[in-house]
């Protein structure tokens, strides 16, 4: 009897054999996602950002202790560049022969006020928040359709005998609601969710799923003392913009979220535990948008 080949939908939800891409890898949420994918047993994770490779030393050292069989590859990437996206996919296929999960975790807040928002600011928000997911939708699925019928010679390698893949777009509650931050951020986050919803029909028959995570207030450790808000390049409105009293009043769980709490949802969507979920928008905001859907959260 022929041995059953490796199935991506493992009962234990592990990602053995998976080759993954995570953008925004220098941000706290991006790093938390990388840690979670490694904990699930991913064979290789491309940590993509514009930072230098030495910026990943602490992350690589940490993961080498907890998940020694996961290879972390720092990769400089401009997420809104079509050419660089295609080059990255070519390099992955040349090196590993497969691609399994793509997590768009890069993002840009842009100016908080309408008066301060220029057309250039708006363009930058769309490039970071919605163009990057568009490129993932357009170019990652053909690579995810590549089969690998022989185990690689790297740790956690597995056969890939069926077409499958998972695209995860980390956006914000601004994908659904206004008033979370500036106009550019809200518009571009709505567009990111639009990529996910349009992607369901586009991906029919490919074996690739696409989903969105919409976090609310996430404590990313941003100190706003003497900080120029107009130059803010983080992805989420910092939790420190809300007092503890307001968090207790406006958020069901009475606190800001942690990066790892977003990372765990990304790991779930990348794994077989979510095998019948596509086109979803998983809101990770501690219940704030349910309690106060019409209030400005900051």
């Amino acid at each position: 009897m022929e041995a059953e080949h490796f199935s991506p939908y493992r009962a234990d939800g592990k990602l053995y054999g998976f080759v993954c891409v995570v953008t925004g890898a220098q941000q706290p949420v991006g790093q938390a996602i990388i840690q979670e994918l490694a904990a699930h047993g991913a064979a290789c994770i491309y940590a993509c950002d514009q930072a230098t490779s030495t910026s990943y030393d602490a992350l690589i050292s940490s993961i080498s202790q907890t998940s020694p069989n996961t290879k972390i590859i720092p990769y400089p990437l401009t997420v809104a560049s079509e050419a660089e996206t295609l080059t990255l996919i070519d390099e992955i296929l040349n090196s590993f022969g497969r691609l399994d999960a793509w997590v768009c975790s890069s993002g840009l807040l842009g100016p908080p006020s309408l008066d301060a928002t220029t057309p250039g600011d708006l363009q930058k928000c769309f490039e970071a928040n919605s163009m990057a997911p568009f490129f993932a939708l357009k170019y990652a699925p053909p690579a995810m359709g590549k089969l690998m019928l022989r185990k690689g010679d790297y740790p956690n390698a597995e056969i890939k005998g069926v077409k499958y893949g998972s695209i995860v777009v980390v956006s914000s509650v601004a994908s659904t609601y206004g008033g979370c931050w500036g106009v550019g951020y809200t518009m571009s986050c709505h567009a990111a969710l639009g990529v996910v919803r349009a992607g369901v029909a586009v991906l029919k028959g490919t074996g690739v799923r696409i989903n969105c995570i919409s976090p609310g207030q996430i404590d990313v450790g941003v100190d706003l003392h003497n900080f120029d808000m107009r130059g803010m390049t983080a992805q989420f409105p910092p939790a420190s913009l809300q007092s503890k009293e307001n968090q207790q009043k406006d958020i069901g769980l009475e606190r800001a979220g942690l990066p790892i709490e977003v990372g765990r949802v990304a790991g779930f969507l990348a794994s077989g535990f979510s095998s019948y979920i596509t086109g979803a928008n998983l809101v990770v905001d501690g219940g704030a948008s349910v309690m106060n859907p019409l209030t400005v959260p900051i």
Side-chain angles (χ1 to χ4, degrees):
M1 181 177 178
E2 184 178 345
E4 182 180 0
H5 68 71
F6 168 77
S7 168
Y9 303 125
R10 295 173 59 106
D12 59 8
K14 295 297 183 182
L15 305 183
Y16 295 132
F18 277 41
V19 176
C20 310
V21 169
V22 177
T23 69
Q26 276 296 295
Q27 298 295 326
V29 170
Q31 297 213 351
I33 291 169
I34 292 171
Q35 292 170 343
E36 185 69 11
L37 296 178
H40 278 261
C44 174
I45 303 171
Y46 279 75
C48 300
D49 214 317
Q50 293 181 301
T52 60
S53 59
T54 55
S55 303
Y56 295 96
D57 289 348
L59 176 66
I60 293 174
S61 175
S62 172
I63 290 179
S64 69
Q65 299 296 319
T66 58
S67 307
N69 289 332
T70 298
K71 182 177 180 64
I72 306 297
I73 300 179
Y75 191 93
L77 177 70
T78 303
V79 294
S81 170
E82 183 177 30
E84 290 188 26
T85 300
L86 288 169
T87 299
L88 169 60
I89 291 173
D90 284 344
E91 179 166 320
I92 292 171
L93 293 181
N94 288 335
S95 299
F96 294 93
R98 63 187 290 170
L99 174 61
D100 305 283
W102 190 294
V103 184
C104 296
S105 182
S106 56
L108 179 67
L109 277 174
S113 72
L114 178 61
D115 290 342
T117 303
T118 67
D121 293 323
L122 191 62
Q123 179 69 26
K124 290 177 182 177
C125 283
F126 272 96
E127 288 178 353
N129 299 334
S130 50
M131 186 64 77
F134 168 74
F135 286 147
L137 172 64
K138 186 171 184 178
Y139 296 118
M144 291 173 171
K146 300 288 186 182
L147 303 183
M148 187 173 181
L149 303 180
R150 181 190 64 83
K151 279 192 178 185
D153 55 359
Y154 49 90
N156 286 359
E158 286 288 355
I159 290 171
K160 182 173 182 177
V162 295
K163 296 179 180 181
Y164 67 88
S166 176
I167 299 172
V168 180
V169 177
V170 182
S171 184
S172 161
V173 287
S175 66
T176 306
Y177 298 104
C180 298
W181 192 254
V183 173
Y185 186 63
T186 300
M187 292 172 63
S188 56
C189 286
H190 272 62
L193 181 56
V195 172
V196 171
R197 289 174 170 169
V200 174
V202 171
L203 294 173
K204 285 183 67 176
T206 66
V208 178
R209 299 178 291 109
I210 183 168
N211 292 286
C212 183
I213 303 174
S214 287
Q217 290 285 346
I218 303 298
D219 188 355
V220 294
V222 176
D223 182 2
L224 295 177
H225 182 62
N226 294 327
F227 195 82
D228 180 5
M229 306 267 279
R230 292 170 299 177
M232 190 174 287
T233 57
Q235 184 174 7
F236 311 111
S240 51
L241 288 178
Q242 273 199 323
S243 66
K244 292 295 184 182
E245 292 76 12
N246 283 339
Q247 289 179 9
Q248 291 175 350
K249 177 171 65 72
D250 296 336
I251 301 175
L253 296 181
E254 300 185 333
R255 63 174 177 84
L258 301 174
I260 190 59
E261 292 177 305
V262 180
R264 288 168 184 155
V265 180
F268 165 71
L269 290 174
S271 75
F273 284 138
S274 59
S275 59
Y276 200 57
I277 299 177
T278 191
N281 182 25
L282 301 189
V283 178
V284 183
D285 70 348
S289 59
V290 173
M291 289 180 59
N292 305 280
L294 299 179
T295 61
V296 178
I298 53 176

